[in-house]
Amino acid sequence: MSTELVTAPSGTTLNEANAVLSKSKKGKLPIIDSNGHLISLLSRSDLMKNLHYPLASKLPQSKQLICAAAIGTRPEDKVRLQKLIDAGLDIVVLDSSQGNSIYQTEMIKYIKDTHPELDVIGGNVVTRAQAASLIAAGVDGLRIGMGSGSACITQEVMAVGRPQAAAVFNVSTFASRFGVPCIADGGIQNVGHIVKGLALGASTVMMGGLLAGTTESPGNYYVSHEGQLVKAYRGMGSIDAMEEKKTGASPGKMAKKSNAGTARYFSEGDRLLVAQGVSGSVLDRGSVTKFVPYLLAGLQHSLQDIGVRSLAEMRQGVLDGKVRFELRTVSAQAEGNVHGLHSFDKKLYS
């Protein structure tokens, strides 16, 4: 038991607490009020995380990691939302394959009326008209993409969607007039796709399929017929996802209704489910602790080769015509890839 307890009073700033913790060489720093009651606890591990991960997405006042969660647009999702807020939610993502619906606009207005401090990300949208409806409702951010995901077949089956580059450029250009940031959601397979999405105006990119093969992602590993280590992966519009029994649901015919998959595609009441996604597998990519730094380093090298100092400069260069997109023929694409070798080993990072 420690007899030389080092504490700090209530009102101590994070920088002051870090200085006390560093000087005392203790592992923990209790923060107490005027009555000697413990109100918070600062850990040395927190100090080390702040030192080693300065770019982590954290709240400025508490240095806690930002927490986001996705919900649907049905009335029962309001109950789920309240429980998430009680648990400390910072950002809510409204998950829907087609965001320009009365359900989503009403949900955005409800959240902004009841929880104005909560950031709301709406979508998905691919046109300016769709974006305008959600911006008018009060959305704080937009997800752009329809049918471009790695496990999505919406464009093929439903004949609905838009090429991702055109969607990102048009919607993000429009949304920027209102100060609404955008996420390029779908079709990200490598560093080059990340660069293109950011150059076209997106503030960030969604990387579900790209990160699906990492150690930390959900899914079971198995060895494919080719002898490669892969992880199971499925789209939310796949039959497997839409037929999955909802957690806590009672047995019976309705057990598989109204889960996340069916709600996302407005299919809760359908007697026959129509797939808008597939189930499959992705190659093992190892841990995100190595894979994400590789993506970041690749992005930095790309900007260096383009000749810009920042993402803002690159986006402005696209608008000014200094950074240009050019159409590549089939021959040019083949020329820009590995060619002329008898065999090769494509190792992306070490």
Side-chain angles (χ1 to χ4, degrees):
M1 184 177 71
S2 176
T3 57
E4 298 180 1
L5 191 63
V6 177
T7 63
S10 174
T12 302
T13 66
L14 186 59
N15 288 336
E16 292 172 344
N18 284 337
V20 173
L21 189 60
S22 178
K23 184 177 180 181
S24 67
K25 307 296 183 183
K26 300 289 185 180
K28 299 287 189 299
L29 179 65
I31 307 297
I32 60 175
D33 60 16
S34 57
N35 297 319
H37 297 151
L38 179 68
I39 58 173
S40 61
L41 187 67
L42 184 70
S43 170
R44 180 170 292 276
S45 61
D46 296 331
L47 183 61
M48 299 307 294
K49 288 177 182 177
N50 288 333
L51 178 65
H52 294 304
Y53 304 103
L55 300 179
S57 299
K58 293 178 282 191
L59 297 172
Q61 67 274 17
S62 65
K63 298 299 181 181
Q64 289 182 319
L65 289 174
I66 294 175
C67 178
I71 64 171
T73 56
R74 292 298 191 248
E76 57 266 26
D77 287 300
K78 295 178 181 179
V79 179
R80 173 180 169 84
L81 173 66
Q82 187 58 54
K83 292 181 178 180
L84 289 167
I85 292 174
D86 293 340
L89 186 69
D90 302 305
I91 303 171
V92 62
V93 182
L94 300 183
D95 189 28
S96 177
S97 61
Q98 206 290 74
N100 186 25
S101 68
I102 188 172
Y103 305 110
Q104 184 155 151
T105 54
E106 289 180 351
M107 179 63 83
I108 293 171
K109 292 176 181 178
Y110 167 78
I111 296 174
K112 284 302 177 182
D113 287 340
T114 56
H115 307 285
E117 75 289 348
L118 192 65
D119 284 341
V120 182
I121 298 177
N124 281 33
V125 298
V126 291
T127 68
R128 297 186 178 195
Q130 290 176 316
S133 298
L134 302 188
I135 293 173
V139 79
D140 298 293
L142 291 170
R143 287 199 302 170
I144 305 172
M146 190 179 296
S148 56
S150 60
C152 188
I153 57 175
T154 298
Q155 293 187 18
E156 173 192 349
V157 175
M158 306 299 173
V160 175
R162 194 178 190 184
Q164 185 68 348
V168 171
F169 179 73
N170 284 280
V171 174
S172 61
T173 302
F174 174 76
S176 65
R177 302 177 188 174
F178 306 93
V180 176
C182 295
I183 303 171
D185 181 12
I188 303 296
Q189 301 174 25
N190 51 50
V191 175
H193 290 157
I194 297 174
V195 177
K196 292 172 188 176
L198 297 175
L200 288 166
S203 300
T204 186
V205 296
M206 193 75 71
M207 299 189 296
L210 195 60
L211 298 178
T214 57
T215 307
E216 293 80 3
S217 68
N220 297 321
Y221 277 113
Y222 63 94
V223 179
S224 68
H225 296 298
E226 294 78 19
Q228 296 177 303
L229 183 62
V230 297
K231 177 174 278 193
Y233 179 58
R234 69 186 186 189
M236 287 304 294
S238 65
I239 295 297
D240 288 344
M242 290 195 286
E243 284 189 337
E244 184 180 47
K245 178 181 175 182
K246 186 176 181 181
T247 304
S250 57
K253 292 184 178 180
M254 298 302 294
K256 296 176 182 178
K257 296 293 184 181
S258 192
N259 64 13
T262 55
R264 190 176 198 274
Y265 294 90
F266 306 107
S267 302
E268 302 98 314
D270 293 356
R271 296 182 61 184
L272 179 67
L273 296 176
V274 178
Q276 296 191 44
V278 299
S279 299
S281 62
V282 290
L283 285 174
D284 172 49
R285 295 186 182 276
S287 174
V288 293
T289 58
K290 284 191 174 182
F291 187 60
V292 171
Y294 151 70
L295 297 176
L296 177 59
L299 176 61
Q300 292 171 333
H301 281 292
S302 179
L303 265 64
Q304 174 181 300
D305 291 346
I306 293 172
V308 295
R309 297 176 181 272
S310 65
L311 293 175
E313 183 180 342
M314 179 173 65
R315 296 189 188 103
Q316 190 59 45
V318 172
L319 296 176
D320 295 340
K322 296 179 181 178
V323 178
R324 299 187 304 275
F325 283 82
E326 293 192 0
L327 183 66
R328 300 171 71 199
T329 64
V330 175
S331 297
Q333 292 179 49
E335 183 184 65
N337 209 330
V338 180
H339 61 279
L341 300 181
H342 172 67
S343 63
F344 66 92
D345 181 21
K346 191 174 184 180
K347 189 176 182 180
L348 296 178
Y349 61 94
S350 64

